Amino acid sequence: MSCGPQMPAMPLSMVKAGETVHVSRVKGNEDMKHHLKDLGFVEGNEIHVVSSSGANIIVTVLGARFGIDSKVAMHIMTIG
């Protein structure tokens, strides 16, 4: 049973700096999914958005900091 309404998933590219979210799923072709999985973007993992400047997003995943293009970030669906 759920404990209330679930927040809809949104792309990582829409998450604001300073927010922490969790990966709900990764979209895209198999190469994209595999690459993002290798970086730690798998269902359930926590992502902290350090900064977001339109074209680039800096995040922390599993203790590592990455810069991600906003087009790639559109493939990473997150929930709060």
Side-chain angles (χ1 to χ4, degrees), residues 2 5 9 12-13 16 19-20 22-24 33 36-37 41 43 45-48 50-51 63 70 72-73:
S2 65
L12 179 59
S13 58
K16 294 181 176 129
E19 292 184 358
T20 299
H22 291 85
V23 176
S24 67
K33 289 179 184 179
L36 291 172
K37 179 181 177 184
F41 294 96
E43 186 176 340
N45 277 1
E46 185 177 274
I47 303 170
H48 178 73
V50 176
S51 73
S70 62
V72 174

Side-chain angles (χ1 to χ4, degrees), residues 23-35:
V23 176
S24 67
R25 66 188 162 99
V26 176
K27 305 185 307 182
N29 62 36
E30 290 305 311
D31 287 340
M32 174 73 72
K33 289 179 184 179
H34 184 73
H35 175 66

Side-chain angles (χ1 to χ4, degrees), residues 61-75:
V61 180
L62 299 175
R65 189 176 282 204
F66 296 102
I68 298 177
D69 183 90
S70 62
K71 291 178 184 173
V72 174
M74 299 266 313
H75 293 276

